[in-house]
Structure formats: structure tokens, C-alpha cells
Amino acid sequence: MQLIWKSTFTGNETRIFRGKVLAGLLKVSNWKDNAYGELDGHMLRFKTRGFWKRHTQILSIEGERELGRIEYNMWNGNATIVYQDNEYQWKFGSWKRNKWTVTDSESVAHFTKKSLWKNQGEIEYEYISSAIILIGLFVNTYFQRISASA
């Protein structure tokens, strides 16, 4: 299956399309690395914590139930996602950081940024939850913000 994503210049809002139909949205806070989003009925909230060893809690949209966690490895540019007791690996596919993947033992999602100047791209996936697609976009936004502030 294929999705198209388009972010604003600042990366605060990412819209996810299936063809020309809006399928989902990811909104990131201006001042914190917190966000919320929805894709195909999966509604999630992201709350980033920590100073030296940062991690993000994946919460229900109300913020009451913890569904998972993201652990970042800043030096290698990858992350480990634990979502509903399943573990996924998020990593860049090129040194230009225009491709990244989210994988587990059975499935993979490929994300591609189409242009250096425009913040948009494609997502190719099979047999992977829409929640993981949303989490993969959040992790990329997190790494972009860290790179921009360095």
C-alpha cells in the first residue's frame, strides 16, 4: 500500500494522504517534542521526557493509557519502538536522511522524502499497523528538530 505525506515548512503539521483523500494528521507542539495524531482510526499522543537519555511515551489520545515507548539512539540515528508489546526498529536508510524504515520480524514500512526543499514524500508498506506509520513519521520529525537545533 502507499501513502503520501506532506509537512509544513516548520514540520509542526504533517498531513497523510491516500491518493487525494486526507487519511491522517500529525501535529507537533511548537515548544516541546510532544505531539498528537490520527491515522486510520489510530489516535495517539506522544509525550517526550528526559534530558540526557530522552524517550517518548506513546499514549492513548486522552493521555491516560501508555501504549508504548520510543527510545532514541542519537549517535546512530535510530530508535527502538515498543508498541503494544511488539518491538520495531526505526533507522535511516541513507546518510542524506531522506529515507528511513520501520521494521519488525515480519513487516517493513519504507519512508522516502522526495525533495531536498519540500518536506513531503511517500510511504510504502504492507502488513504493518497504521499506528506504526504514524509513530515512524513522529520519530523522523523528532530527529529533524534535534538536527535543526544542533
Side-chain angles (χ1 to χ4, degrees):
M1 301 187 101
Q2 183 179 33
L3 296 171
I4 297 168
W5 59 272
K6 295 179 181 183
S7 290
T8 58
F9 178 73
T10 59
N12 290 347
E13 183 176 293
T14 301
R15 294 180 183 186
I16 307 162
F17 296 91
R18 183 171 288 107
K20 293 186 180 209
V21 176
L22 183 65
L25 181 71
L26 178 66
K27 297 263 305 175
V28 181
S29 170
N30 285 331
W31 309 109
K32 297 180 179 181
D33 291 318
N34 297 339
Y36 65 90
E38 188 272 335
L39 179 61
D40 295 333
H42 294 273
M43 299 171 74
L44 301 175
R45 183 170 299 276
F46 302 94
K47 192 168 217 169
T48 303
R49 300 190 178 275
F51 185 72
W52 294 110
K53 184 154 175 66
R54 295 184 54 91
H55 66 277
T56 300
Q57 293 175 294
I58 304 167
L59 306 167
S60 63
I61 195 68
E62 300 86 14
E64 298 170 357
R65 256 187 25 233
E66 185 168 335
L67 304 173
R69 184 178 180 95
I70 305 167
E71 299 283 342
Y72 303 100
N73 184 335
M74 299 308 293
W75 298 110
N76 293 334
N78 61 32
T80 301
I81 301 165
V82 177
Y83 180 73
Q84 294 183 337
D85 298 327
N86 294 324
E87 187 170 301
Y88 300 86
Q89 297 302 316
W90 186 103
K91 65 180 178 178
F92 284 112
S94 74
W95 63 272
K96 295 187 285 183
R97 295 186 172 208
N98 64 347
K99 296 180 183 182
W100 62 96
T101 58
V102 178
T103 60
D104 69 355
S105 59
E106 301 170 359
S107 54
V108 63
H110 298 279
F111 297 76
T112 306
K113 184 176 177 183
K114 288 296 192 181
S115 167
L116 181 63
W117 307 111
K118 293 182 180 178
N119 206 8
Q120 63 186 29
E122 295 178 350
I123 306 165
E124 293 283 341
Y125 68 100
E126 284 191 41
Y127 311 114
I128 200 161
S129 168
S130 296
I132 301 303
I133 301 293
L134 196 60
I135 295 166
L137 286 169
F138 173 80
V139 173
N140 181 62
T141 301
Y142 176 83
F143 277 120
Q144 280 185 321
R145 286 177 162 225
I146 294 299
S147 296
S149 66

